Amino acid sequence: MLPDFTQFNALLSPLGIAVAIVGALGLGSVPLLRYKGFLVWLGDRIAPVSIVLGCFLVGVIVAQFSGEIVNYFHLWRGENNVVIKPSISAADLLVNLLTISALTASAGFAYLCLPTDRMEMRLSSITKTVLLELLIEVKQFDDWYDQAPSAEKMTPACKLINGLLSPRLAIGGWDSLSSTDFDTRTWRKLSKFVDNHLDDSWVRLSLWGLLVGMLMGFICLFFRYFGLHDFIFHPVEFGVVITLLLLNLGIGSLLISLAFGAHRGEVDLRHEIKTSVQNLAPHINVYMTVRRNVEIEEVAVKARDLSVKRNEERAQEQGLSRPRRR
Amino acid sequence: MSFMTITIDLRAYKAMVLEKLRLSQTGAPQVFENSGPDHARVVLSVLVGDCHKTLDIVSGDLVRDVWSAQSIREFLARGGESARMRVLLDDIPGDTIPKSSALFGWSDPRIHVKRLRNPFVAHLCIGDKKHIRLEYKKSTCEASITFGEENGVGNSASEMFNNLWNAGDEIGASERVAEAV
């Protein structure tokens, strides 16, 4: 005999989902604690956190007052004020919403996997793009870096560019960079960009909460099919539907918020990288000019030798072909 | 989406090369380098596009992947009767210009073609004796480019080309259009 949940069902499903999400928030923040405290991290992201928690709060409230809401909006009243049972099956609605949620979760996971790797790739790509905007190819930067004196290699601009181009190889990965390697402003912008990208793990774990919500929805269906709640539009199912709907809206707005935030951070960081590249550009240009002069001189010598050799060959050919005088 | 990788497309790269050219016309000579056939094609199209009088080229076979026949045509149109193009090829089979060459089928008297008996260590393009592209690594199209340096390096490069030209052997007009027939 299964226990009677009817007394608590109005709150159980949305609250369960909310607990799962908030718990995921906590777990997702653990890797970020090494950068800053959880409360500070949370304070920086108050907007997206508020959106998600607000969505759940609304879901909880709607579930709690779902009976009053459907009565107020006359959701199951037909013509002549006759009260009829609703023809919309909440289970069907729930299944459709669960399908949409599954698609959202799948897209989110596919998009957000390996955030750290993507962050490093992103930084490397931005750096390569900025170099190319000053017509410095990565190969030329590498050649210059290989022969640059140690004093130049240790400048913040050089460490930034070399590190970003190959963060795993150049200076042992992102973890080995520290605030002492850069000036405060550059470090702040770099950190902000990195944090925005590392936020992806938090969103990913929030999507785990979405899956938990979907699981709760399936549990509701289970109860319904086994006849524990012989109804079509039960407040619990209504609450779950609203919660899932709002959760999708919340996750969607969170992703958009992160994208915009990451874009803003990227714009700032791009400016810093460009400034660093512009500081390095004169050194690299001098190196390219010197290298060009050396190469032209080397090739010119070879060209001269080739010309002399060919002249000698022609002279020999002419000497052989000239008839001998008697 | 901002999470997607940014790549510089070739139009943007061309705009940057054109900016270098513009800077060389208003100020000091501009030196930069390029890698890869795509960037080489862009640089050469900009270089040839700014030439009016002379174009001196040392190339394998002036392959169409890198050299634009349209750019050459436009150069000849700009220069008119006084335009002069000297092409030294160091990687053609025999005395015939292959179909893959941008010069295939051409018989313009303003284009003078010679060939070197053996591949030379570098390839070269000099435009109006002031724009120079020296390709020092032929396999990867790595090259050093200078815009707007008539004296100094410009003179050295011209002398270098003249020496190579002297070492080259004539290709007759009939051989140049043999494949077309």
Side-chain angles (χ1 to χ4, degrees), chain B residues 31-53:
Chain B
V31 179
F32 62 102
E33 297 191 0
N34 84 252
S35 295
D38 290 336
H39 288 178
R41 186 170 52 244
V42 170
V43 169
L44 286 167
S45 75
V46 170
L47 191 155
V48 173
D50 194 55
C51 295
H52 295 81
K53 299 174 200 167

